[in-house]
């Protein structure tokens, strides 16, 4: 079976957290930069329907599961994802107020995921898509939290939301994968093909929504050209958002891979402690940001 698995933390559903998303958050809340902000805004629009799709695809196999630990993990995974959907809907309501047609984005995604993928593909394959997507969200913490310079000039409320979401994605990162491998016993081919599909389609839709948002914001064609050139460099430059993650991303394709071969990120335990001490996710993420910036926690 799997070798050298690190111990996995408990999946803790955290409910009734208040991120004060109805406050006076600036339209370009990250570095006052339209591209960076709209990149995270585009991600946010995909979460509510996406997470409902993940829950549904895992539920397809629920009747075949007997392991009580896995059944409990699925319950906690569902509760975490339901909270994420709810909070990202609040987040997305801000975007609606800015003139972004979020309902249309959701309708199209609903049609793609539920009207197309779930109708045309086998439950094994849509579970594969779920496990692959969960792998992508699980490395969000590595992407955005472990490198504190990325959120250094972010609105503290939205940063706190992404920190919380990323940490919980990491906590439940093996649930869909365990159902895929142990219960559905999907082939390696299904795992690889579904990951390749996610690797192409997910960034494509994020970029499409990002483009729509920048257009809706009223930037001229020339302004958008400059915004895209700078933004794509931020995403894809060596040491940017994506490049350092490529190894972790494609580790998923190794035969014998398991999500817990990669231990919890260094910021996870401090964040949990800070949240417990303050009871406030914004204060916890602010303190974590200072701690990360101090360099004490950073690992190579
Ligand atoms: Fe989530
Ligand atoms: Fe998730």
């Amino acid at each position: 079976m799997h070798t050298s698995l690190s111990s996995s933390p408990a999946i803790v559903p955290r409910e009734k957290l208040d991120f004060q998303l109805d406050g006076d958050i600036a339209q370009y809340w990250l570095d006052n930069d339209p591209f960076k902000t709209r990149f995270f805004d585009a991600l946010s629009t995909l979460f509510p329907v996406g997470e409902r799709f993940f829950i549904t695809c895992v539920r397809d196999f629920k009747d075949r599961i007997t392991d009580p630990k896995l059944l409990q993990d699925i319950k906690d995974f569902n509760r975490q994802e339901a909270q994420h959907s709810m909070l990202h809907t609040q987040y997305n309501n801000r975007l609606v107020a800015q003139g972004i047609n979020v309902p249309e984005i959701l309708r199209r995604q609903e049609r793609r995921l539920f009207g197309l993928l779930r109708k045309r593909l086998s439950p094994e394959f849509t579970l594969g898509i779920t496990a692959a997507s969960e792998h992508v969200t699980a490395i969000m913490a590595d992407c955005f939290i472990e490198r504190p310079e990325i959120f250094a000039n972010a609105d503290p409320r939205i940063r706190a939301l992404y920190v919380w979401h990323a940490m919980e994605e990491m906590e439940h990162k093996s649930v869909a994968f365990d159902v895929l491998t142990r219960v559905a016993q999907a082939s390696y081919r299904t795992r690889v093909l579904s990951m390749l599909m996610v690797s192409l389609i997910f960034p494509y839709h994020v970029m499409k929504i990002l483009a729509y948002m920048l257009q809706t914001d009223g930037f001229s064609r020339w302004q958008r050209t400059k915004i895209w050139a700078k933004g794509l460099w931020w995403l894809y430059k060596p040491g940017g958002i994506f490049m350092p993650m490529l190894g972790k991303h494609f580790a998923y394709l190794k035969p014998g891979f398991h999500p817990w071969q990669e231990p919890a990120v260094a910021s996870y335990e401090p964040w949990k402690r800070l949240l417990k001490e303050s009871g406030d996710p914004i204060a916890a993420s602010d303190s974590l940001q200072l701690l990360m910036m101090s360099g004490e926690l950073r690992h190579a």
Side-chain angles (χ1 to χ4, degrees):
M1 274 288 281
H2 309 297
T3 50
S4 67
L5 287 190
S6 60
S7 61
S8 56
I11 303 170
V12 186
R14 298 171 182 84
E15 282 150 1
K16 301 198 184 83
L17 291 182
D18 184 3
F19 293 92
Q20 299 174 31
L21 294 175
D22 51 356
D24 55 343
I25 298 169
Q27 178 156 341
Y28 300 129
W29 56 267
L30 178 54
D31 277 342
N32 197 25
D33 182 303
F35 187 95
K36 293 180 186 181
T37 302
R38 289 314 197 191
F39 171 75
F40 284 98
D41 290 350
L43 281 181
S44 180
T45 63
L46 291 173
F47 285 126
V49 178
E51 299 186 310
R52 186 154 46 78
F53 175 81
F54 302 156
I55 290 174
T56 313
C57 295
V58 169
R59 195 177 287 147
D60 285 340
F61 291 87
K62 207 166 154 257
D63 293 345
R64 287 164 54 180
I65 302 171
T66 47
D67 177 358
K69 162 88 169 70
L70 189 53
L71 282 169
Q72 186 58 46
D73 282 354
I74 292 172
K75 266 190 201 153
D76 294 331
F77 157 78
N78 287 347
R79 282 175 65 189
Q80 285 191 333
E81 295 295 32
Q83 287 296 310
H84 302 166
S85 289
M86 202 174 89
L87 268 302
H88 278 279
T89 299
Q90 276 181 33
Y91 178 132
N92 297 344
N93 288 341
R94 284 181 48 254
L95 306 179
V96 174
Q98 293 163 8
I100 304 294
N101 192 347
V102 177
E104 179 59 20
I105 297 173
L106 301 194
R107 258 195 301 280
R108 287 183 188 201
Q109 196 196 5
E110 175 96 29
R111 222 179 306 146
R112 260 192 328 266
L113 297 183
F114 288 90
L116 193 71
L117 296 187
R118 277 188 59 83
K119 291 238 163 77
R120 300 265 171 92
L121 299 169
S122 68
E124 281 77 16
F125 202 88
T126 52
L127 182 64
I129 291 174
T130 301
S133 308
E134 285 289 304
H135 177 67
V136 172
T137 55
I139 56 180
M140 282 200 310
D142 288 285
C143 270
F144 311 132
I145 320 301
E146 290 291 292
R147 290 182 291 157
E149 61 278 8
I150 290 169
F151 277 156
N153 297 308
D155 185 282
R157 293 159 283 195
I158 298 198
R159 177 172 61 209
L161 178 83
Y162 271 108
V163 170
W164 161 71
H165 193 166
M167 294 302 186
E168 292 197 349
E169 286 304 321
M170 200 200 58
E171 284 180 339
H172 72 230
K173 68 178 175 176
S174 75
V175 176
F177 187 87
D178 287 339
V179 178
L180 181 74
T181 51
R182 286 167 42 195
V183 183
Q185 299 190 336
S187 64
Y188 177 68
R189 189 169 166 271
T190 296
R191 175 145 70 92
V192 171
L193 288 180
S194 54
M195 177 45 114
L196 291 180
M197 197 168 157
V198 169
S199 306
L200 292 173
I201 292 178
F202 182 60
Y204 170 76
H205 285 292
V206 173
M207 295 300 175
K208 220 175 128 182
I209 296 166
L210 174 51
Y212 155 71
M213 287 176 168
L214 291 174
Q215 207 166 357
T216 307
D217 285 347
F219 292 108
S220 68
R221 189 175 284 265
W222 172 237
Q223 281 171 319
R224 276 183 279 137
T225 307
K226 286 191 293 184
I227 290 171
W228 273 96
K230 213 175 110 206
L232 289 175
W233 177 245
W234 170 72
L235 280 177
Y236 292 109
K237 71 183 174 187
I241 302 283
F242 282 136
M243 287 310 181
M245 288 302 117
L246 277 184
K248 282 191 171 137
H249 181 82
F250 286 110
Y252 188 84
L253 299 182
K254 283 187 195 145
F257 165 84
H258 186 273
W260 286 113
Q261 282 166 352
E262 182 73 32
V265 289
S267 52
Y268 173 65
E269 285 298 335
W271 173 75
K272 245 171 60 168
R273 179 175 48 78
L274 290 164
L275 183 62
K276 200 170 166 206
E277 280 167 11
S278 66
D280 173 7
I282 303 170
S285 128
D286 285 353
S287 307
L288 182 69
Q289 180 69 22
L290 290 175
L291 196 63
M292 297 301 287
M293 291 299 270
S294 75
E296 278 170 49
L297 273 176
R298 303 189 70 178
H299 56 197

